[in-house]
Amino acid sequence: MSMSDQPSQPPQSADDEIDLGRLFGLLLDHKWLIIAITALFSIAGVIYALLATPVFRADALVQVESKAGGNPLEDVRAMFGEETKAEAELGILRSRLVLGRAVDQERLDIIVTPKRLPVVGEFLVRRGVERPDFSNGSFNSSVWAGEALNVGELQVEPPLQGQAFTLIAGEANNYHLYLDEEPLGEGHIGQNAAFLGGQVQLRIAEIQAAPGAEFTLVQRPRLEAINSLRGAFTVSQQGRDSGLFDLALSDPDPQRAQRALNAISQVYLTQNVQRQSAEAEQSLEFLEEQTPEVQAQLREAEDALNTYRTQQDSVDLSLETQSVLERLVNLENQLNELEFAETDISRRFSPSHPTYAALLEKKQQLERERQRLNERVGDLPETQQQILRMTRDVEVTQAIYVQLLNKIQEMNIVRASTVGSVRILDSAVVQRHPVAPKKPLIVVLATLLGGMLAVGLVLVRGMLRRGVESPEQIEEIGLPVYATVPLSEEQQKLIKRVKHRSDKHGSNISSGVLADLAPADTSIEALRSLRTSLHFAMLEAGNNRLVITGPSPSIGKSFISINLAAVCAQAGQKVLVVDADMRKGHIHHAFGAQSEGGLSELLSGKATLDEVVRQGNQQGLSYIARGSAPPNPSELLLNQRFSEFLEQASQRFDLVVIDTPPILAVTDAAVVGKQCGTTLMVVRFQLNPIKELQIAQRRLETAGVTTKGTILNAMEKKAATSYGYGYYNYSYK
């Protein structure tokens, strides 16, 4: 197969390609929109940063020592690697035990919220703005700078906890209490008051506010208050195993943050001292229970040894036996130490715990060594064995007894001087500047967000609204472009907005003929070029009738029809402009006339051709308005009178320009185009996509109308087209 015989690949659609140059041009074209949206977000960020309630941070420093240093049993625990873990202390600090006591001490379950002016109230109070003299209405009920409410006591039964009570300051040191706008009663400052049958107990210590000022009182459930405090409280350790803990609490009220954090520190310190004291008390109780028993065992052992020596006539121990005795006594003392430690550890750990398991292993090792020594004792003479056992019992029991007495004295000292293992190094202090909101960061983020949203909006609109941007795009689908008409600023001044009864959104109409008012305008020059092109194009046509249509409304069909007719008339031709849009046609507005007495009256037989033809603003230009809006425009165009009218107009005028409705909206353009030799389609720059143009062309072809070419209207010099397809237009003066 030759190269010429191979099927050609269809060109890739422009809609499927990503044109980076066009996207960059879109951003340049909409730079002011992007700047405006970004500035709006930036201003919103500044306003939010100024109006947002600042949050302050209080911090404190606490040290947890590795051990208290006073409990004699700590030495035994340290032998097996038992230490106070940082995780345990962190858990204690965040426990309901500590936080709950802090909530109770500082009454953090009571929330007093003053009523402020909407939006700006808190901002004005932070700026120290006091109550104005003219205050009334919402100003009177609001709480201003320097005004406050001090609640001495608030006790609410559980069913009503969490409910918001409204307190309004009154005259003569009294106040009124409301629940859901229902009055509960009146109270006096400094006196206990009961409401709702005693379910609410309230005592107001002080009200520093003008009569009418409103406050909201809420007593939260204790658990809710603890959880709220835990959410605002943070604690962390400095380094690994340093024993230094950083405590921090965030709150909009700096004084409340400082008081609450100091309360947490003091509660943590107090519970630590109480825990150490309770531990010493338990150890002392255990030692005092063992002392009488050990004393009785010592007495029995001494009596038994003395009795045996008397019976055996004072038997002495050999050197070997004395050595074995010393080792046995030493082992027994160590085992007794482990017994004390096991008694204490067994109250806190199970036998599977590593600390407990290590103690049991040590104990078994000592017992095995004692067993070996006992086997050596069995090789001694009977008398030596008996004396050794009795002497061992006496010395071991005596050592235990002395050890118990010493430990009792030590524990008494520990109990009397317990200081705990916690020290508050730094009390709570509130930082001078708030930690939130971070105003510069908020403004920067708001600006970035606005910029990104603006860029995204422009790009998405540009990608979704892919209207025709160059003549090349139209020519790619096989339609020639007869003219590229630039957007006229002078024409924009002639545009007026008119809203008909049947039109929900209204329409733009021209209040003059641009070719008369600004004949040197670039758009009129483009229409003169179109006039030349049409002269040759219509030579092959069957008649002198030209249909101007388009795919959609508001693309400038009437502008092209009127001004093209005007420039043709300026060239010496007799031109007739016919407004065939009997629904919403507005050609008559350009000539300053009314629509009545036009095409609809002609086609319905109510007027003759001479009666409906009107003289334009210049020699050789005539026009026919649309007439009164009929109920059946398409049927009138199919009438024989319309064909007769076209024949008469063609004979009396050199050129007949017919402005029709959009082809994708109604079929009128197809009906008119069937009887006209030339049909041109108007396409508006960046409004009508290529697919819409193709559909309009197929619809005309289905009705037997061939589209001669197109007119690209309202062309603008934009960066999107300059970077994409290019735009060339010059003025010559």
Side-chain angles (χ1 to χ4, degrees):
M1 180 182 292
S2 64
M3 294 297 293
S4 59
D5 295 334
Q6 293 180 1
S8 60
Q9 296 295 329
Q12 186 176 5
S13 174
D15 293 342
D16 299 331
E17 299 177 355
I18 298 178
D19 190 341
L20 297 181
R22 179 179 180 274
L23 297 181
F24 180 70
L26 283 173
L27 298 181
L28 291 181
D29 290 333
H30 297 84
K31 58 181 178 295
W32 294 114
L33 175 63
I34 295 174
I35 292 174
I37 295 177
T38 304
L40 183 63
F41 272 78
S42 180
I43 293 172
V46 172
I47 294 174
Y48 174 79
L50 292 176
L51 297 182
T53 301
V55 177
F56 294 87
R57 177 187 177 97
D59 55 63
L61 182 62
V62 172
Q63 180 188 19
V64 180
E65 298 176 347
S66 59
K67 59 180 181 179
N71 193 337
L73 299 182
E74 290 289 343
D75 297 334
V76 179
R77 296 175 197 162
M79 291 171 54
F80 303 101
E82 180 191 354
E83 297 179 1
T84 303
K85 301 297 182 182
E87 291 78 5
E89 297 301 328
L90 291 174
I92 294 174
L93 277 165
R94 295 180 59 84
S95 66
R96 288 195 294 270
L97 169 68
V98 174
L99 299 182
R101 291 180 183 176
V103 167
D104 297 337
Q105 289 182 14
E106 297 298 323
R107 294 310 310 269
L108 299 179
D109 56 336
I110 298 177
I111 300 177
V112 180
T113 306
K115 181 181 178 181
R116 306 290 193 198
L117 287 176
V119 182
V120 298
E122 291 289 345
F123 176 78
L124 296 177
V125 170
R126 291 196 300 272
R127 292 297 182 271
V129 179
E130 298 183 353
R131 180 180 295 273
D133 296 334
F134 59 84
S135 63
N136 54 43
S138 61
F139 282 86
N140 189 48
S141 61
S142 300
V143 179
W144 297 76
E147 299 180 340
L149 172 68
N150 185 5
V151 179
E153 180 182 359
L154 176 62
Q155 295 292 338
V156 179
E157 294 296 323
L160 295 176
Q161 288 183 354
Q163 296 283 343
F165 296 88
T166 301
L167 185 145
I168 301 179
E171 303 284 352
N173 292 330
N174 65 351
Y175 60 87
H176 300 273
L177 192 66
Y178 297 83
L179 176 62
D180 296 333
E181 299 183 357
E182 293 292 332
L184 301 182
E186 181 180 346
H188 296 275
I189 297 175
Q191 299 180 7
N192 293 328
F195 304 94
L196 293 176
Q199 295 186 78
V200 179
Q201 302 288 334
L202 178 62
R203 178 172 59 83
I204 301 299
E206 183 181 14
I207 297 180
Q208 295 180 350
E214 294 186 15
F215 299 85
T216 300
L217 307 181
V218 177
Q219 183 180 18
R220 297 179 293 178
R222 187 172 183 270
L223 181 59
E224 181 181 335
I226 293 173
N227 292 335
S228 177
L229 180 60
R230 182 182 288 128
F233 174 65
T234 58
V235 56
S236 59
Q237 184 179 197
Q238 291 185 1
R240 181 178 178 85
D241 300 330
S242 64
L244 297 176
F245 293 92
D246 291 314
L247 280 60
L249 183 65
S250 300
D251 196 278
D253 187 346
Q255 287 76 24
R256 182 170 58 194
Q258 184 176 6
R259 293 196 308 268
L261 190 58
N262 275 328
I264 293 174
S265 303
Q266 290 296 332
V267 169
Y268 177 59
L269 173 64
T270 301
Q271 67 83 28
N272 181 267
V273 172
Q274 292 175 348
R275 182 179 60 182
Q276 299 288 347
S277 177
E279 187 175 348
E281 191 73 36
Q282 292 177 355
S283 299
L284 180 61
E285 181 180 352
F286 168 73
L287 294 174
E288 289 178 346
E289 290 177 356
Q290 298 297 320
T291 300
E293 298 180 5
V294 174
Q295 185 178 15
Q297 293 175 4
L298 176 61
R299 188 177 298 111
E300 292 177 0
E302 290 176 344
D303 292 343
L305 178 60
N306 293 331
T307 301
Y308 187 78
R309 285 182 179 274
T310 302
Q311 294 175 355
Q312 299 296 329
D313 194 15
S314 184
V315 178
D316 294 328
L317 296 176
S318 64
L319 293 176
E320 181 182 1
T321 305
Q322 290 180 357
S323 174
V324 173
L325 176 62
E326 291 177 359
R327 294 176 62 184
L328 281 172
V329 171
N330 185 32
L331 285 174
E332 292 292 344
N333 289 335
Q334 293 184 41
L335 286 170
N336 287 328
E337 289 282 353
L338 293 179
E339 290 289 345
F340 288 131
E342 183 180 4
T343 303
D344 180 69
I345 290 177
S346 63
R347 293 198 298 266
R348 297 183 295 138
F349 303 118
S350 64
S352 61
H353 191 273
T355 301
Y356 202 162
L359 184 145
L360 294 177
E361 183 179 356
K362 182 68 175 178
K363 183 178 178 182
Q364 292 174 0
Q365 180 181 356
L366 295 176
E367 288 178 346
R368 287 194 296 269
E369 188 173 352
R370 184 177 63 179
Q371 182 65 29
R372 289 196 297 270
L373 289 176
N374 286 332
E375 291 176 357
R376 290 184 58 186
V377 171
D379 297 335
L380 297 175
E382 181 64 28
T383 304
Q384 292 290 320
Q385 291 184 27
Q386 193 66 24
I387 289 295
L388 186 145
R389 293 191 181 96
M390 290 184 176
T391 304
R392 180 197 63 189
D393 293 342
V394 171
E395 292 186 2
V396 169
T397 308
Q398 187 176 15
I400 294 174
Y401 182 68
V402 172
Q403 186 180 23
L404 283 174
L405 294 178
N406 291 336
K407 290 187 179 296
I408 288 175
Q409 295 297 324
E410 292 175 3
M411 294 307 299
N412 283 323
I413 296 174
V414 169
R415 183 180 61 176
S417 59
T418 299
V419 295
S421 60
V422 173
R423 282 198 306 162
I424 300 177
L425 301 181
D426 294 333
S427 299
V429 173
V430 179
Q431 299 299 321
R432 180 179 178 183
H433 300 288
V435 295
K438 299 185 182 299
K439 297 180 181 179
L441 180 60
I442 289 176
V443 175
V444 171
L445 291 178
T447 303
L448 292 176
L449 178 61
M452 289 188 294
L453 288 178
V455 170
L457 175 63
V458 169
L459 294 180
V460 170
R461 284 180 54 190
M463 296 298 293
L464 294 179
R465 298 175 59 182
R466 293 298 300 268
V468 174
E469 294 179 340
S470 73
E472 289 80 2
Q473 291 178 280
I474 302 176
E475 291 171 351
E476 286 178 357
I477 63 173
L479 281 176
V481 178
Y482 275 77
T484 300
V485 181
L487 180 67
S488 173
E489 295 182 0
E490 295 296 328
Q491 175 65 21
Q492 298 301 313
K493 298 176 183 178
L494 299 177
I495 297 298
K496 293 183 179 179
R497 190 77 172 175
V498 175
K499 188 174 186 301
H500 301 282
R501 293 181 180 178
S502 59
D503 191 357
K504 296 182 180 179
H505 306 289
S507 57
N508 295 327
I509 59 97
S510 177
S511 60
V513 180
L514 184 63
D516 293 338
L517 301 175
D521 191 87
T522 55
S523 62
I524 300 302
E525 291 293 340
L527 291 177
R528 290 191 178 98
S529 175
L530 175 62
R531 177 187 64 190
T532 304
S533 301
L534 282 177
H535 174 72
F536 297 101
M538 295 184 68
L539 292 177
E540 302 175 359
N543 52 52
N544 61 348
R545 306 163 198 165
L546 172 63
V547 174
I548 303 295
T549 186
S552 61
S554 302
I555 59 176
K557 300 186 305 298
S558 299
F559 166 77
I560 297 295
S561 300
I562 296 171
N563 288 279
L564 176 61
V567 296
C568 290
Q570 290 173 358
Q573 292 181 292
K574 292 183 62 177
V575 183
L576 175 66
V577 180
V578 181
D579 191 351
D581 186 356
M582 290 180 285
R583 294 174 175 85
K584 299 180 181 180
H586 50 78
I587 284 181
H588 56 278
H589 287 290
F591 297 97
Q594 299 295 323
S595 63
E596 289 76 9
L599 182 62
S600 62
E601 283 80 6
L602 174 65
L603 299 182
S604 60
K606 297 179 180 179
T608 63
L609 178 60
D610 293 332
E611 292 175 344
V612 298
V613 174
R614 306 176 188 179
Q615 182 61 38
N617 298 335
Q618 57 182 281
Q619 184 68 29
L621 178 61
S622 302
Y623 73 96
I624 297 178
R626 64 179 172 87
S628 302
N632 54 346
S634 298
E635 286 74 9
L636 288 178
L637 294 174
L638 290 171
N639 195 307
Q640 181 63 28
R641 291 192 182 95
F642 181 65
S643 300
E644 296 174 354
F645 155 68
L646 292 179
E647 289 294 336
Q648 296 176 17
S650 296
Q651 295 174 5
R652 295 175 56 176
F653 294 92
D654 298 326
L655 177 64
V656 179
V657 180
I658 305 175
D659 182 24
T660 62
I663 183 60
L664 296 183
V666 292
T667 61
D668 296 10
V671 174
V672 175
K674 187 71 173 175
Q675 303 186 55
C676 298
T678 306
T679 299
L680 293 182
M681 191 179 305
V682 178
V683 181
R684 191 174 182 92
F685 173 74
Q686 287 190 338
L687 179 63
N688 300 116
I690 289 295
K691 291 183 179 179
E692 189 175 273
L693 184 58
Q694 291 174 322
I695 295 174
Q697 181 186 11
R698 285 197 297 268
R699 185 163 297 183
L700 288 172
E701 290 177 350
T702 302
V705 179
T706 301
T707 304
K708 191 72 174 180
T710 60
I711 302 171
L712 182 55
N713 186 34
M715 188 75 174
E716 296 182 64
K717 186 176 182 180
K718 290 190 174 184
T721 55
S722 298
Y723 282 96
Y725 305 100
Y727 169 69
Y728 307 99
N729 182 69
Y730 302 96
S731 62
Y732 184 75
K733 296 183 180 179

